[in-house]
């Protein structure tokens, strides 16, 4: 990467850091702050980077940041889509595809996610690609950032990988499959008819899963706005939760959060999840 671009990248990161208050990203300001915005160590913490590495970036030195790091920085600094694109170009990295895990997340959704500290929540695409999770969502559902290729879509995993269903009681699998396919059909219709992401996913699932092909042929359509589901957590046992959605204006992203179902003991279990955090997320799923 050219020295000019690297220097500009460092300057740009400093300027974006300076405009954000700690409260904007869910941090406690604390006393004796000498800067109006975030400290370098706070940005590093939010992006999952070491302080030394982030300092190197702001100084315009060090190695070229990866696409994953750029996505994390864009979210930590609440960049707009134009600012995110500028950051990638300064780093000489290709812009991530719209439905990839590195896709831009609207800052407003990130702000809401930051404020949902006592309930599992995540932002996903309309094709069920997880873009970002809060710690409680990782503890409840596992870390979705580890998936690559076609498996970034939970719908793809649901119909092609039996392990994807382990969190859900077998008695609920048929109903979940029907809802996933009906929601996917609605999502595909909202997109351009030639949208390669949706077309490729649907063609792959029709080819690999007889169950999906049979359900797709029914032409059922239902946007998944809310749902009640059972989750068989490896450490907490069975939880019954309400799964709620907030959609972006174009419908391509949704903020998904889970609340305990009334009349069950799931509220106590979610409180325990909050206490133990990601210690309970060690079991692969």
């Amino acid at each position: 990467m050219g020295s000019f671009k690297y220097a500009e990248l460092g300057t740009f990161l400093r300027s974006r850091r300076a405009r954000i208050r700690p409260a904007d990203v869910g941090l406690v300001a604390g006393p004796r702050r000498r800067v109006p915005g975030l400290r370098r160590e706070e940005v590093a913490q939010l992006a999952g980077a070491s302080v030394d590495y982030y300092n190197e970036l702001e100084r315009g030195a060090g190695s070229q940041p990866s696409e994953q790091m750029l996505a994390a920085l864009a979210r930590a600094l609440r960049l707009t889509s134009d600012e995110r694109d500028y950051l990638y170009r300064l780093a000489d990295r290709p812009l991530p595809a719209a439905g990839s895990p590195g896709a831009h997340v609207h800052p407003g959704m990130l702000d809401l996610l930051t404020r949902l500290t006592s309930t599992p929540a995540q932002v996903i695409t309309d094709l069920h690609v997880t873009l970002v999770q809060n710690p409680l969502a990782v503890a409840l559902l596992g870390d979705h950032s580890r998936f690559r290729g076609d498996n970034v879509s939970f719908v793809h995993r649901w119909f092609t990988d039996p392990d994807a269903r382990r969190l859900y009681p077998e008695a609920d699998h048929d109903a979940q499959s029907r809802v996933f396919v009906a929601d996917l059909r609605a999502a595909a219709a909202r997109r351009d008819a030639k949208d390669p992401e949706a077309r490729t996913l649907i063609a792959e699932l029709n080819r690999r899963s007889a169950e999906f092909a049979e359900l797709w042929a029914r032409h059922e359509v239902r946007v998944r706005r809310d749902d009640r589901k059972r989750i068989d957590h490896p450490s907490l046992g069975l939880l019954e939760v309400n799964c709620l959605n907030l959609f972006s204006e174009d419908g391509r992203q949704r903020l998904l959060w889970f609340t305990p179902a009334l009349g069950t003991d799931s509220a106590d279990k979610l409180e325990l999840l909050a206490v133990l955090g990601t210690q309970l997320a060690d079991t692969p799923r």
Side-chain angles (χ1 to χ4, degrees), residues 10-21 35-44 54-55 58 77 79:
T11 301
F12 182 63
L13 289 175
R14 289 195 298 274
S15 72
R16 300 305 87 186
R17 173 169 62 85
R19 70 177 180 173
I20 299 177
R21 301 173 303 167
V35 293
L38 296 179
R39 297 187 176 106
R40 290 184 181 90
E41 57 266 28
E42 290 169 333
V43 176
Y54 182 74
N55 285 341
E58 281 208 1
L77 294 169
L79 300 187

Side-chain angles (χ1 to χ4, degrees), residues 181 185 206 210-220:
V181 174
R185 184 173 283 280
N206 269 310
E211 179 191 17
F212 178 88
E214 190 275 326
L215 291 171
W216 188 255
R218 296 183 187 181
H219 292 268
E220 294 178 350

Side-chain angles (χ1 to χ4, degrees), residues 5-73:
K5 277 192 171 182
Y6 226 150
E8 176 60 24
L9 185 145
T11 301
F12 182 63
L13 289 175
R14 289 195 298 274
S15 72
R16 300 305 87 186
R17 173 169 62 85
R19 70 177 180 173
I20 299 177
R21 301 173 303 167
D24 294 336
V25 291
L27 298 175
V28 178
R32 299 180 183 177
R33 296 189 70 87
R34 297 180 181 178
V35 293
L38 296 179
R39 297 187 176 106
R40 290 184 181 90
E41 57 266 28
E42 290 169 333
V43 176
Q45 173 190 341
L46 290 168
S50 72
V51 177
D52 288 343
Y53 177 78
Y54 182 74
N55 285 341
E56 289 288 299
L57 287 180
E58 281 208 1
R59 286 203 299 267
S63 60
Q64 182 187 26
S66 67
E67 294 170 40
Q68 292 81 8
M69 178 53 60
L70 292 171
L73 288 170

Side-chain angles (χ1 to χ4, degrees), residues 8 28 31 37 44-45 59 81 85 90 146 149 167 169 185 250 281 284:
E8 176 60 24
V28 178
Q45 173 190 341
R59 286 203 299 267
S81 58
D85 292 354
L90 288 177
R146 61 191 175 91
L167 270 182
R185 184 173 283 280
D250 63 3

Side-chain angles (χ1 to χ4, degrees), residues 229-268:
K229 62 175 60 177
R230 299 190 298 168
I231 297 175
D232 191 8
H233 193 277
S235 299
L236 297 177
L238 192 67
L239 294 90
E240 293 189 55
V241 296
N242 299 309
C243 183
L244 307 168
N245 295 266
L246 176 66
F247 291 80
S248 61
E249 289 184 3
D250 63 3
R252 289 205 177 196
Q253 292 184 11
R254 57 186 77 171
L255 175 64
L256 184 68
W257 73 100
F258 301 87
T259 61
L262 295 176
T264 72
D265 63 352
S266 297
D268 294 335

Side-chain angles (χ1 to χ4, degrees), residues 128-188:
H128 294 265
V129 175
T130 301
L131 301 179
V132 61
Q133 297 174 284
N134 71 5
L136 286 181
V138 174
L140 179 65
L141 304 172
D143 184 359
H144 291 179
S145 66
R146 61 191 175 91
F147 296 106
R148 297 290 182 270
D150 293 337
N151 279 333
V152 296
S153 167
F154 184 66
V155 174
H156 185 276
R157 300 197 302 275
W158 180 265
F159 287 102
T160 62
D161 182 1
D163 282 346
R165 304 190 179 197
R166 287 196 302 162
L167 270 182
Y168 304 93
E170 187 173 356
D172 299 346
H173 289 181
D174 288 347
Q176 290 280 10
S177 293
R178 289 197 304 273
V179 170
F180 273 134
V181 174
D183 182 78
L184 180 59
R185 184 173 283 280

